[in-house]
Amino acid sequence: MNTLTKRLWKCISYCFPFRKKKPNDNAVEEIEIKQESLEKQHIEANSERETSYEVNSERETTIEANSERETSNEVNSERETIIEANSEIETSNEVNSERETTIEANRKRETVIKANRKRENSNEVNRKRETTIEANRKRETTIEANRKRETSNEVNRKRKTTIKAHRKRETTIKAHRKRETTIEAHRKRETSNEVNRKRETTIKAHRKRETTIEANRKRETSNEVNRKRKTTIKAHRKRETTIKAHRKRETTIEANRKRETSNEVNRKRETTTKAHRKRKAANKSNSTRKTAKKPNVSPERDKLYCDECVSRQKRCFKDQVKTAVAKKNVFWTDFKGSTDFERGLLSRGWVKKIAPTFNAGPMETIFCDPTYGHKIISLYDIQPKLIVSRYRIELHLLKEDQITNHFYSVHFTSKIGLCKVLRQWCLSCDANPHTFFPRCYMFSEKNEKQAFIDDFTMTAACGILKWVLRTNGKSLQDEVIPSRKEKEEKMAICMSDAKINNHGPARIVPENIIVTALVACQFHLYDLTHEDEDNLICAGIVDKKHFISDYYQVMHHGAHIQNSDKYVDYCHQLLCKLRRVNPQLDIDGEKNIWILKPRALSRGRGIHCRNDLKDICSLGRKWVVQKYIERPLLVYGTKIDLRQHFLITDWYPLTIWFYKHSFIRFSSQPFTLERLDTAIHVCNNSIQRKLKNAPNRHPNLPEENMWHSDEFKEYLCTIGKEQVWDSIIIPGMKKALIQTMRAAQENVKYKKNSFDLFGADFMFGENFQPWLLEINLKPDIQKDTSVMEKIVPPMVEDILRVVIDYKDHRNCNVGGFELIYKQ
């Protein structure tokens, strides 16, 4: 039995192999428990079978047979399982073989794809080669075309190389110049700071001096009051004594008269002949006395020469002086020809103080009746309220309520001061004075002469471009230049077009001068439009001497430039661009003429024109060089300028009065640029009055070489430009004066209750635009012409209206003056 159970167990263990117990495996534990229960059952069954084995031996044989059958069945089942496992293995092998076949197919496909890719890459390379070959062919064709073009443009390439060299040289030059300018700017700032410090120190010193002077004044005034009291007491005593003496004399005279009358009666009675002779002699003597006392006297005043009338006149004049002194309506002047001024003040009830100085004491002060000549000596010190003097009066001598016709440190009335003021204002306020003031250079300043040389060469380059347009019949306005006859028919035209004089066979200048002029103008245009750039200079000309000599050959000697017609379009385009940026391009012309002014002279003395660079640069430090307006407005072929008066009554706030009447001055000779005589180009009246008028002048021109502004307006109406006066000329002059006075405002020293009259000289361009030339302090208002006789008296009356009447009555009539600016 033990053998059978072992075999059964082996079969069961073979057919159902049990796993070893693993931790945390509940299913395995349940199977082991079942196996243990089965073993126990088998053991019980076997014990029962052993007990029954002896009885039923036959059953054992059958059981063995059955067990053998079961074992065979189990073996068969094991074989079937093995066969199934083998079949599964075969199926897996088949799957693996299929996978290998697919992998091999994929590998073959990849090799084919790689081969295709290589073929495609080779095809692409071939295509690229073909495209490059085609591109090379096209390049070759373009290179051939470019070679043909380069053969024609070799000159341009050489020019470009020279231009590049010029640019490199000029960049270095400009860098050095800008460094120098920055250094100079720093120096100027330091100097300005030092000047400001000195000014502050001087102001403090002046304030201390003023305080001491005021204290001294108070002391002196107190001493003077005491002295005046003593002097008045003495004067009263002297007058009383003199009055007593006069009374005694009058009584004695009356007694003598009575005696003489009685004697005369007796004498008449005695001898009639002697009486008749005496009467005739007395009549003759009376007639001579009357003619000596009242020369050029109207018949109405003949009645006033009696004693009673004289006493009445004296009383009236005394009362007038008292009321004027009470109202402080006293004026003093040292002008000899100020009759209009005195007449206007006397009509307002003012009294003139006649004394050597305005602050003279009572012993030197006299009041005189202008109509009858009565004189009154003042008893005490009377200070005038209005002081009109030719010379400057020190500020510490004036009182606050005294009115004077002086300002101090008025630098803009000098030629060099006006240039400095406008330059400083241009740097500080970003303004552009070049729109109304021709550019100016001061040879007394550093680097000004070099700046002038650069400007001269730049103007010469622009003149070459203008010459190209003019010789080829084109202008900046895209119009055909009219002929000389058409120009002469018009009245307000400019005859300053350059003339080609017959200097024999004309020399031909190469076209390189046009190329250098174009390059220089292009650099200049870049400088004007790119002010912040530091790499370029304004004049791109390296060999300036050669360029200027060729320029002189063209402009002064009538030479012709080779192939100038090629560059007409380039010159026109570049000049149009420059015209938008440079407001003075239209007045420059072609001749490059500059006007030279001595800095310390007035009335046109020493002024002359030049167009040669060496002559201008040979001048010393006392000269101012300003660009001459080569294309001015002409009236009947003659140059003109305008004198405009304006009045300033205060600087803080700035108050400017513009006078509506002005006068035009003519030159005595017809205008031309072929001669640079002062008789042609300087219209100052002090110069022109010494010259004789040309015999070939237009008959409509005045003999006195002066027009009233109303006559000029009538002339503008005759040429169809009547709207120009109110739309261009007057607004342009007002703008120029306002900007100039604003620029000079910071540097002027003044006191309240001050005023002064200025005279500004203007010229006009062909487009009627006014250009400020200079400003004169206390201009000449002598009535030496009929025009001045018409302008001066009402202007003086209007000045009094503004200075005196306007303070008390803001709505009063100010005559011809217009308030154009008040801050």
Side-chain angles (χ1 to χ4, degrees):
M1 293 298 291
N2 291 325
T3 58
L4 290 171
T5 55
K6 288 180 181 179
R7 287 178 181 175
L8 290 169
W9 182 252
K10 286 181 181 180
C11 290
I12 291 164
S13 62
Y14 183 79
C15 293
F16 302 99
F18 294 101
R19 293 180 295 175
K20 293 182 180 181
K21 187 177 180 181
K22 293 183 180 180
N24 297 325
D25 196 353
N26 294 323
V28 175
E29 290 178 355
E30 289 177 356
I31 292 166
E32 288 179 354
I33 292 165
K34 288 180 180 180
Q35 285 179 357
E36 288 177 357
S37 62
L38 289 172
E39 286 178 357
K40 288 179 181 181
Q41 289 177 2
H42 283 296
I43 291 165
E44 289 177 356
N46 289 324
S47 63
E48 289 178 356
R49 285 175 185 174
E50 286 176 357
T51 57
S52 63
Y53 183 74
E54 291 176 357
V55 178
N56 297 318
S57 59
E58 291 179 358
R59 290 181 182 177
E60 288 179 1
T61 55
T62 55
I63 289 164
E64 288 177 359
N66 290 324
S67 63
E68 287 177 0
R69 288 176 184 176
E70 288 176 0
T71 54
S72 62
N73 291 323
E74 288 177 357
V75 170
N76 290 324
S77 63
E78 288 177 357
R79 286 177 182 174
E80 289 176 357
T81 54
I82 290 165
I83 290 163
E84 288 177 357
N86 290 325
S87 64
E88 290 177 357
I89 290 164
E90 288 176 356
T91 54
S92 64
N93 290 326
E94 288 177 357
V95 171
N96 291 325
S97 63
E98 288 178 357
R99 287 178 181 175
E100 289 176 355
T101 53
T102 55
I103 289 164
E104 288 178 356
N106 291 326
R107 287 176 182 174
K108 289 179 181 180
R109 288 177 184 174
E110 288 176 358
T111 53
V112 172
I113 289 165
K114 287 179 180 179
N116 292 324
R117 286 178 181 174
K118 288 180 179 179
R119 289 176 184 174
E120 289 177 355
N121 290 326
S122 63
N123 291 325
E124 287 179 358
V125 170
N126 292 324
R127 288 174 185 172
K128 287 180 180 180
R129 287 176 182 173
E130 290 176 356
T131 54
T132 53
I133 289 164
E134 290 178 357
N136 290 324
R137 287 176 183 174
K138 290 180 180 179
R139 285 177 184 174
E140 288 175 357
T141 55
T142 54
I143 286 163
E144 289 178 358
N146 290 326
R147 284 176 183 173
K148 291 179 181 179
R149 292 176 183 173
E150 286 174 358
T151 54
S152 63
N153 294 325
E154 285 179 358
V155 177
N156 293 325
R157 288 181 180 177
K158 290 179 182 179
R159 289 171 186 167
K160 288 180 181 179
T161 54
T162 55
I163 288 165
K164 289 180 181 178
H166 290 324
R167 285 180 181 174
K168 290 180 181 178
R169 291 177 185 174
E170 287 160 1
T171 50
T172 56
I173 291 166
K174 189 172 183 181
H176 289 296
R177 285 182 182 172
K178 288 200 171 177
R179 288 176 186 172
E180 291 176 356
T181 53
T182 52
I183 291 165
E184 288 179 0
H186 288 299
R187 288 177 182 172
K188 288 180 180 178
R189 288 176 185 173
E190 290 176 356
T191 54
S192 64
N193 292 325
E194 289 178 358
V195 170
N196 292 324
R197 289 173 185 172
K198 289 180 181 179
R199 286 178 182 172
E200 290 177 356
T201 54
T202 53
I203 288 164
K204 290 179 181 178
H206 283 299
R207 287 177 181 174
K208 290 180 181 178
R209 289 176 184 174
E210 287 176 357
T211 53
T212 55
I213 288 165
E214 287 179 357
N216 293 324
R217 279 181 186 172
K218 289 179 180 178
R219 291 175 184 174
E220 290 175 357
T221 52
S222 62
N223 294 324
E224 285 179 359
V225 168
N226 294 323
R227 289 173 185 174
K228 287 176 183 179
R229 287 177 182 174
K230 291 179 181 179
T231 54
T232 52
I233 290 165
K234 289 180 181 179
H236 282 299
R237 287 177 182 175
K238 287 181 180 179
R239 285 179 183 175
E240 287 176 357
T241 55
T242 53
I243 288 164
K244 288 179 181 179
H246 284 298
R247 286 177 181 176
K248 288 180 181 181
R249 287 177 186 176
E250 287 176 356
T251 54
T252 55
I253 289 165
E254 287 178 357
N256 292 323
R257 283 179 183 175
K258 288 179 180 180
R259 289 175 186 176
E260 287 176 357
T261 53
S262 63
N263 291 324
E264 284 177 359
V265 169
N266 293 321
R267 286 173 186 176
K268 285 179 182 179
R269 288 176 182 177
E270 289 176 356
T271 57
T272 58
T273 56
K274 290 181 180 180
H276 287 292
R277 289 175 184 177
K278 287 180 180 179
R279 285 175 185 176
K280 288 179 182 180
N283 290 325
K284 288 180 181 180
S285 63
N286 290 325
S287 64
T288 54
R289 285 176 185 175
K290 287 180 180 179
T291 54
K293 285 182 181 179
K294 48 177 184 177
N296 297 324
V297 178
S298 62
E300 294 178 356
R301 288 177 56 190
D302 292 337
K303 300 177 182 179
L304 302 176
Y305 278 92
C306 60
D307 295 335
E308 293 180 357
C309 295
V310 170
S311 62
R312 286 177 187 175
Q313 292 165 8
K314 286 183 179 179
R315 290 171 187 171
C316 292
F317 182 63
K318 221 180 248 189
D319 295 335
Q320 184 181 355
V321 171
K322 286 181 181 179
T323 55
V325 170
K327 293 180 180 179
K328 295 184 178 181
N329 292 337
V330 181
F331 71 95
W332 178 88
T333 181
D334 58 356
F335 281 103
K336 293 181 179 179
S338 59
T339 56
D340 297 324
F341 180 76
E342 292 179 5
R343 190 182 299 112
L345 288 171
L346 292 172
S347 65
R348 286 171 170 80
W350 287 59
V351 177
K352 181 181 179 181
K353 177 181 179 180
I354 300 173
T357 58
F358 75 95
N359 56 354
M363 299 301 293
E364 298 176 342
T365 302
I366 298 172
F367 296 102
C368 182
D369 190 355
T371 56
Y372 302 106
H374 303 310
K375 294 181 181 180
I376 297 174
I377 300 172
S378 65
L379 301 177
Y380 52 90
D381 187 16
I382 298 173
Q383 292 294 325
K385 185 178 180 181
L386 178 61
I387 302 168
V388 180
S389 175
R390 292 175 294 175
Y391 308 105
R392 188 177 66 180
I393 300 172
E394 297 297 331
L395 287 173
H396 66 275
L397 299 175
L398 298 171
K399 296 180 180 179
E400 292 183 358
D401 59 342
Q402 285 182 327
I403 304 171
T404 59
N405 64 329
H406 281 288
F407 296 117
Y408 302 88
S409 300
V410 186
H411 300 299
F412 62 88
T413 55
S414 65
K415 299 174 180 65
I416 192 169
L418 181 61
C419 185
K420 283 184 178 180
V421 163
L422 290 175
R423 278 194 188 177
Q424 292 175 358
W425 191 59
C426 177
L427 294 173
S428 62
C429 299
D430 295 330
N432 189 10
H434 294 296
T435 57
F436 61 87
F437 183 69
R439 54 195 185 276
C440 186
Y441 295 96
M442 304 164 285
F443 280 7
S444 60
E445 301 293 327
K446 291 182 180 179
N447 298 326
E448 284 287 302
K449 191 170 284 188
Q450 183 61 42
F452 164 72
I453 293 169
D454 293 338
D455 195 348
F456 188 90
T457 53
M458 192 66 247
T459 307
C462 293
I464 291 294
L465 303 188
K466 292 177 182 178
W467 182 92
V468 171
L469 293 182
R470 182 178 59 79
T471 53
N472 292 280
K474 194 172 183 180
S475 65
L476 285 176
Q477 290 82 12
D478 293 330
E479 297 175 355
V480 178
I481 295 177
S483 63
R484 180 67 65 184
K485 292 181 180 179
E486 293 176 352
K487 285 188 174 184
E488 290 176 354
E489 291 176 357
K490 296 180 181 179
M491 301 305 177
I493 61 172
C494 178
M495 299 172 62
S496 61
D497 292 337
K499 297 179 181 178
I500 299 176
N501 295 329
N502 295 323
H503 297 283
R507 181 190 165 212
I508 296 176
V509 177
E511 58 184 323
N512 290 330
I513 188 173
I514 301 177
V515 177
T516 53
L518 285 169
V519 173
C521 292
Q522 190 66 41
F523 275 97
H524 183 56
L525 177 63
Y526 192 83
D527 278 341
L528 293 174
T529 54
H530 298 77
E531 295 179 354
D532 297 331
E533 296 292 332
D534 297 330
N535 297 323
L536 297 174
I537 62 174
C538 61
I541 302 172
V542 176
D543 192 1
K544 292 182 181 179
K545 292 183 179 179
H546 183 68
F547 176 77
I548 293 296
S549 64
D550 289 342
Y551 169 76
Y552 288 158
Q553 289 293 328
V554 175
M555 297 298 171
H556 298 172
H557 302 291
H560 188 73
I561 302 175
Q562 189 178 10
N563 298 326
S564 64
D565 54 347
K566 293 181 182 179
Y567 302 94
V568 173
D569 294 333
Y570 296 108
C571 295
H572 183 266
Q573 292 175 3
L574 189 55
L575 285 174
C576 288
K577 292 179 182 178
L578 280 171
R579 192 182 185 188
R580 296 169 192 162
V581 183
N582 184 9
Q584 297 188 13
L585 186 66
D586 292 335
I587 66 172
D588 283 347
E590 301 174 11
K591 293 287 188 178
N592 209 350
I593 300 173
W594 296 75
I595 187 165
L596 314 179
K597 302 177 181 180
R599 54 182 292 183
L601 297 179
S602 61
R603 297 180 181 177
R605 292 174 293 175
I607 296 176
H608 57 280
C609 297
R610 291 289 181 270
N611 59 356
D612 187 83
L613 184 60
K614 290 183 180 179
D615 293 343
I616 299 172
C617 291
S618 63
L619 297 173
R621 296 170 58 86
K622 296 181 180 180
W623 290 85
V624 176
V625 181
Q626 191 174 24
K627 185 66 187 73
Y628 182 71
I629 299 174
E630 298 182 30
R631 302 186 67 86
L633 175 68
L634 303 181
V635 176
Y636 299 117
T638 307
K639 182 185 172 182
I640 63 168
D641 68 0
L642 183 141
R643 169 64 62 86
Q644 178 63 52
H645 295 96
F646 65 98
L647 184 70
I648 293 179
T649 56
D650 203 348
W651 285 98
Y652 288 96
L654 180 60
T655 308
I656 304 172
W657 297 84
F658 185 88
Y659 198 60
K660 65 180 180 180
H661 298 297
S662 56
F663 59 89
I664 308 293
R665 299 180 296 189
F666 292 83
S667 62
S668 58
Q669 307 297 321
F671 182 77
T672 179
L673 293 180
E674 298 303 319
R675 292 187 296 125
L676 301 180
D677 298 337
T678 55
I680 300 171
H681 302 286
V682 180
C683 298
N684 198 298
N685 192 27
S686 61
I687 293 175
Q688 295 295 332
R689 72 176 65 175
K690 300 176 184 178
L691 303 173
K692 292 183 179 180
N693 294 332
N696 58 347
R697 291 179 65 188
H698 198 278
N700 292 336
L701 291 173
E703 290 294 330
E704 296 176 340
N705 291 324
M706 192 175 289
W707 262 1
H708 194 276
S709 57
D710 294 336
E711 294 175 312
F712 184 62
K713 291 179 188 177
E714 292 175 359
Y715 168 76
L716 293 175
C717 292
T718 58
I719 63 172
K721 298 292 183 180
E722 59 274 3
Q723 76 280 0
V724 169
W725 179 262
D726 294 325
S727 62
I728 298 176
I729 294 177
I730 293 296
M733 290 194 295
K734 289 180 180 178
K735 179 182 176 183
L737 293 177
I738 290 169
Q739 292 187 2
T740 305
M741 294 303 103
R742 287 181 62 193
Q745 184 180 10
E746 296 180 357
N747 300 321
V748 176
K749 294 180 182 179
Y750 80 108
K751 67 178 286 294
K752 288 289 185 181
N753 296 322
S754 299
F755 72 97
D756 210 342
L757 182 68
F758 300 93
D761 293 338
F762 286 93
M763 275 186 65
F764 306 103
E766 286 183 323
N767 56 356
F768 301 96
Q769 181 185 356
W771 293 91
L772 177 64
L773 302 181
E774 60 183 8
I775 296 175
N776 300 281
L777 177 64
K778 291 181 174 55
D780 185 13
I781 54 174
Q782 291 182 1
K783 295 180 285 186
D784 51 358
T785 62
S786 60
V787 176
M788 295 300 289
E789 288 179 356
K790 187 178 178 181
I791 290 176
V792 172
M795 184 176 70
V796 173
E797 177 64 24
D798 295 339
I799 290 172
L800 295 175
R801 289 175 179 175
V802 173
V803 175
I804 296 173
D805 300 341
Y806 186 75
K807 284 187 176 182
D808 298 328
H809 305 285
R810 293 293 180 181
N811 296 323
C812 71
N813 182 18
V814 292
F817 278 102
E818 177 189 358
L819 181 61
I820 60 171
Y821 186 77
K822 186 172 183 179
Q823 284 180 336

